[in-house]
Amino acid sequence: MMNETQKLNCEVGALAITVNAKFSGNIGKVVRVIDSLGMMPWPEIDGLVHVWQVEIAAEGSFLYYFYPNKHQLDVQSTGPIPDCFLRRLVPENDQLRLEFEDCQTREAIEPSTL
């Protein structure tokens, strides 16, 4: 059982990469966390795990889900993924922020050069 104070890898709005999955085609996908589905069971994981609703961040990329009840493999642009299968791409608290306050870069660039 997950400890209430256990640190999650992601949060709503975070960009993350999938680092584990039943289907190898789902590994390495960049996703945006769009909602929390809370604690729930996940196939092949003991106990309850925190599951996020995610959407694929790259156009033309998909997630693959097998639904035993329907006996089919679905290809989707959004779906559930356990927190333990994700790693955040941008550090927590915007630690990877570019600071422009000390330079005049924005003013020196002409709009036509962008």
Side-chain angles (χ1 to χ4, degrees):
M1 189 164 124
M2 186 172 121
N3 183 334
E4 290 293 325
T5 61
Q6 182 175 344
K7 187 86 172 104
L8 294 173
N9 293 322
C10 295
E11 64 187 8
V12 172
L15 276 179
I17 188 165
T18 56
V19 295
N20 193 0
K22 181 174 185 173
F23 297 105
S24 62
N26 285 343
I27 297 175
K29 301 287 182 162
V30 177
V31 298
R32 180 175 308 281
V33 177
I34 56 175
D35 198 10
S36 171
L37 300 177
M39 300 297 291
M40 57 193 324
W42 191 262
E44 300 165 6
I45 297 179
D46 291 336
L48 299 177
V49 294
H50 191 102
V51 177
W52 298 106
Q53 181 73 12
V54 302
E55 64 183 2
I56 286 290
E59 192 173 326
S61 187
F62 298 97
L63 294 168
Y64 302 91
Y65 293 94
F66 179 72
Y67 295 100
N69 297 343
K70 295 195 284 185
H71 300 290
Q72 72 183 41
L73 185 67
D74 279 356
V75 178
Q76 300 173 192
S77 59
T78 65
I81 296 182
D83 183 74
C84 58
F85 286 8
L86 297 170
R87 293 298 175 270
R88 180 191 303 262
L89 288 177
V90 178
E92 190 175 5
N93 300 327
D94 294 326
Q95 293 170 352
L96 189 67
R97 189 178 324 159
L98 299 176
E99 299 292 340
F100 290 108
E101 287 80 16
D102 295 334
C103 67
Q104 302 301 318
T105 305
R106 287 182 286 187
E107 295 169 13
I109 296 176
E110 294 292 324
S112 62
T113 63
L114 298 178

